Amino acid sequence: MILLKNNTLFLWPSDRILVWVLRFCAVIAAMIVFLILLFLLNESIPVLKHVGMSRFFFDSTWSPTEGLYNLLPMLWGTLFAMVGSVLIATPLGIISALFCHFYAPKPIAHIYRQIIQLLAGIPSVVYGFWGLVVLIPLIGQIQPPGPSLLAGILILTIMILPTLALSADASLANVPSSYLKGSAALGLSRWATIRGVVLPAAKSGLFTGVILEIGRAIGETMAILMVCGNVVQTPKNIFEPMRTLTANIALEMAYALGDHRSALFVSGLILMLVITGLVICAEILSRKIIYD
Amino acid sequence: MFRLFSILVVAIFSNPLSWTITKAYAAKNKIILTGSSTVAPLVSEIAKRFEIQHPGIRVDVQSGGSSRGIADAKQGLSDIGMISRELKNEEKELFAFTIAKDGICIIVHKNNPVSTLTDPQIIDIYTGKISNWKQVGGKDAPITVVSKAEGRSTLELFLNHFKLKTTEIKSQVIIGDNPQGIKTVAGNPNSIGYVSIGSAEYDFENGVPIKLLPVSGIIANRKNVKNGSFPLSRPLNLVTKIKPTGLIKEFINFSSSKDVNDIIKEQYFVPVAE
């Protein structure tokens, strides 16, 4: 058989099959995003048609059973909680990765890494429960009522910290050892090496870590639902309760009907648009920061 | 999923030819129930047990609100409607069967010295006119008002009883389900909330630091919900257009028998069957 063939290299077109399988998989992965978007649009259209988009931003409050659909306070809530937690978690996460990589003795670094990994694996509802029974009473003593934006920020910080610490750790490990040797040969101190060589080299990896962290902060639902108080209002200070878009969906979806249900899909749609916007911003920023 | 299915059901029933076929088929080994989203989860669980005991029978439970339950039962779109209230006067031609009762109670932290609140006081607390426990005879501390998310049946019952609107309520915490509400109140000595009586009583008996306040002077417990004296309660009813016979009668009897009391208690409702 083999002798009869002209080209023995392509007896079985395994490469072509593989390519098509890979293409198919890639299309599926890409399609999921579009299907979700389509589904959200399809479910939101009934309410968008007879209520209109503007009322989701200019109504007096969110009270769908009375026909009021303002989502703006919850959008602010989502953004405040996200920005607050990212601002705290980012330096902490990067510093912890630096400690783990350059300062900690090997055995301690090993144990430390395991602990961070464990922290990343704890289900969010456990964090939420801890927040409910420990954190909220503590905050309540400082400034009642207790469930507040601050509680949300703190819980989110604890939750996204391991994500960032682990990805920062991985990107520090990816810095070529020749760089480190070079800087050692120049006689640079450890801190000078980190500041002048490691951080610039690991910049894109760290940036990806921050994006992942933002994504998790925006998407988190259960823990936030348990500690934030869920009152629909734009928080004026960090001790006031507030509700995020994700918590809004989780709280009300189970019993929502008709327009109310549709309006919840609009919150999902807005959430999706916010994340898309952030990803685009991140992309533009990263081009500027990293490649210029 | 649910929407697709309801479209399908409507499509089948709107076609006059298939209508008779489906109807005949439905009468034989399928029961369709539609209505209240409070009753639907309970009936779904009861239906599962009913299906196990009656192989080959399908029980189809769809939620959509009490008004849909009434409308569908009247028009024959469902075999049984589910409503979370009494029949209104203009609906008296329907047959109603109470399978369980739902009651909500006001809870505060165990260490709160306040042991009774009048209805106007509760209204003032929930509308923000009273914001310190001192004003109702407690210690000098701000009140943390815990309310429920929109669409929840407990909220609806609470609002109906106190003649309030959702927008009038000024709360500091909004919760989803009953356990979350109880944990919130148990964790905050200055809070007040309302939850399903079944779940509050269960947690209270198991040592959770909460206190059930009487409403209009009537003690909040399952017994008073059952005998109808507790004001913040309502019946969960199954309704039919004609006097139930055959399989439908069997299902209604099963749902109101004590064989399902464990399911009813699991969902924090109060069983009525002895």
Side-chain angles (χ1 to χ4, degrees):
Chain A
M1 275 300 274
I2 290 169
L3 290 172
L4 292 174
K5 290 269 180 181
N6 292 333
N7 188 345
T8 49
L9 273 177
F10 292 101
L11 260 186
W12 175 245
S14 57
D15 264 13
R16 260 187 295 153
I17 289 175
L18 179 69
V19 165
W20 277 105
V21 168
L22 292 181
R23 277 178 189 161
F24 181 70
C25 292
V27 166
I28 285 182
M31 281 301 285
I32 289 172
V33 176
F34 285 104
L35 283 177
I36 290 174
L37 204 61
L38 227 93
F39 173 76
L40 284 175
L41 271 173
N42 184 38
E43 292 287 340
S44 346
I45 275 174
V47 77
L48 286 179
K49 252 186 194 157
H50 63 260
V51 170
M53 196 68 190
S54 65
R55 286 204 28 211
F56 284 93
F57 298 99
F58 300 112
D59 265 356
S60 57
T61 181
W62 165 265
S63 179
T65 45
E66 288 176 27
L68 299 167
Y69 299 104
N70 192 355
L71 286 172
L72 217 52
M74 291 175 262
L75 188 59
W76 284 122
T78 300
L79 291 178
F80 287 156
M82 183 272 281
V83 169
S85 59
V86 167
L87 281 183
I88 303 175
T90 307
L92 278 179
I94 292 176
I95 289 170
S96 103
L98 285 175
F99 164 76
C100 195
H101 246 269
F102 296 103
Y103 291 93
K106 270 240 163 74
I108 292 181
H110 181 73
I111 295 169
Y112 185 75
R113 208 165 282 148
Q114 300 285 321
I115 290 173
I116 296 277
Q117 274 169 7
L118 191 70
L119 206 59
I122 295 175
S124 65
V125 67
V126 175
Y127 286 112
F129 189 61
W130 176 79
L132 195 62
V133 296
V134 179
L135 199 58
I136 287 182
L138 277 178
I139 296 175
Q141 279 169 15
I142 305 169
Q143 173 89 40
S148 54
L149 174 60
L150 178 65
I153 288 177
L154 292 179
I155 286 286
L156 267 186
T157 304
I158 300 171
M159 291 185 62
I160 62 178
L161 184 62
T163 319
L164 183 73
L166 288 176
S167 78
D169 194 47
S171 61
L172 291 184
N174 277 339
V175 174
S177 64
S178 57
Y179 287 19
L180 300 178
K181 283 174 192 157
S183 101
L186 287 171
L188 294 181
S189 71
R190 200 179 288 186
W191 173 237
T193 309
I194 289 170
R195 208 186 49 185
V197 178
V198 175
L199 285 182
K203 203 156 58 178
S204 81
L206 294 177
F207 199 74
T208 316
V210 174
I211 300 288
L212 280 176
E213 174 195 53
I214 290 177
R216 190 162 186 212
I218 289 185
E220 177 47 42
T221 311
M222 209 49 223
I224 281 286
L225 178 76
M226 291 168 89
V227 302
C228 278
N230 305 314
V231 176
V232 183
Q233 60 176 10
T234 312
K236 284 173 211 68
N237 60 55
I238 53 171
F239 291 107
E240 281 193 3
M242 56 104 200
R243 186 189 291 193
T244 63
L245 283 170
T246 48
N248 189 38
I249 298 175
L251 265 181
E252 298 187 358
M253 192 49 106
Y255 296 94
L257 298 163
D259 271 3
H260 183 186
R261 185 168 177 276
S262 223
L264 290 179
F265 278 102
V266 177
S267 4
L269 193 66
I270 289 179
L271 203 59
M272 184 95 179
L273 293 180
V274 168
I275 292 175
T276 314
L278 277 173
V279 168
I280 292 172
C281 285
E283 186 66 20
I284 294 169
L285 264 176
S286 72
R287 289 230 174 114
K288 262 194 187 146
I289 297 175
I290 294 162
Y291 301 110
D292 276 6
Chain B
M1 185 60 199
F2 157 67
R3 174 156 297 184
L4 243 172
F5 190 77
S6 55
I7 289 168
L8 223 124
V9 169
V10 171
I12 290 170
F13 280 95
S14 56
N15 180 343
L17 236 177
S18 66
W19 190 84
T20 42
I21 303 164
T22 328
K23 193 66 197 168
Y25 182 78
K28 231 177 158 190
N29 53 16
K30 191 173 177 188
I31 309 174
I32 300 173
L33 294 103
T34 61
S36 161
S37 54
T38 316
V39 193
L42 172 66
V43 171
S44 300
E45 289 303 313
I46 294 175
K48 272 183 209 155
R49 189 173 288 178
F50 189 77
E51 282 175 340
I52 293 169
Q53 292 182 2
H54 299 73
I57 306 286
R58 286 249 349 257
V59 183
D60 192 357
V61 183
Q62 299 166 24
S63 66
S66 292
S67 18
R68 183 182 169 199
I70 293 282
D72 284 2
K74 265 188 183 167
Q75 292 163 22
L77 289 179
S78 68
D79 299 308
I80 304 173
M82 303 174 284
I83 58 170
S84 54
R85 55 175 169 79
E86 311 252 10
L87 281 179
K88 290 178 188 161
N89 275 332
E90 65 267 28
E91 297 160 357
K92 286 287 188 213
E93 81 265 21
L94 296 168
F95 296 86
F97 307 88
T98 305
I99 56 169
K101 289 207 169 174
D102 180 20
I104 64 168
C105 60
I106 312 285
I107 55 170
V108 293
H109 193 273
K110 196 180 73 182
N111 298 344
N112 195 324
V114 175
S115 58
T116 53
L117 287 170
T118 62
D119 280 12
Q121 280 174 331
I122 293 172
I123 293 172
D124 284 352
I125 288 174
Y126 269 86
T127 49
K129 284 185 202 109
I130 293 178
S131 58
N132 195 308
W133 283 111
K134 203 172 55 181
Q135 291 164 273
V136 290
K139 53 190 176 212
D140 184 13
I143 303 178
T144 302
V145 177
V146 182
S147 187
K148 285 248 180 174
E150 275 204 38
R152 301 268 167 178
S153 59
T154 18
L155 170 70
E156 201 182 303
L157 185 52
F158 182 85
L159 294 178
N160 277 343
H161 180 79
F162 291 108
K163 313 260 177 311
L164 289 169
K165 282 200 298 187
T166 342
T167 37
E168 289 171 327
I169 288 194
K170 304 269 178 292
S171 54
Q172 276 80 47
V173 182
I174 291 178
I175 47 138
D177 51 11
N178 293 314
Q180 197 193 351
I182 292 173
K183 280 189 195 99
T184 307
V185 172
N188 184 339
N190 299 321
S191 58
I192 180 170
Y194 55 90
V195 291
S196 234
I197 260 183
S199 88
E201 217 182 0
Y202 177 82
D203 278 1
F204 174 72
E205 282 159 7
N206 283 286
V208 176
I210 54 166
K211 195 156 70 173
L212 286 72
L213 297 186
V215 174
S216 318
I218 293 164
I219 296 164
N221 58 23
R222 274 172 278 209
K223 202 179 112 232
N224 286 342
V225 170
K226 197 167 160 184
N227 66 29
S229 59
F230 191 71
L232 262 172
S233 71
R234 58 179 173 180
L236 306 181
N237 282 325
L238 297 182
V239 297
T240 57
K241 192 184 177 188
I242 47 168
K243 207 163 193 301
T245 52
L247 192 60
I248 293 168
K249 187 178 175 191
E250 212 176 312
F251 182 78
I252 291 176
N253 285 344
F254 179 71
S255 306
S256 39
S257 72
K258 65 174 191 296
D259 296 348
V260 296
N261 278 1
D262 55 324
I263 302 178
I264 293 173
K265 278 181 195 155
E266 246 167 51
Q267 308 238 356
Y268 305 122
F269 296 128
V270 180
V272 283
E274 290 296 337

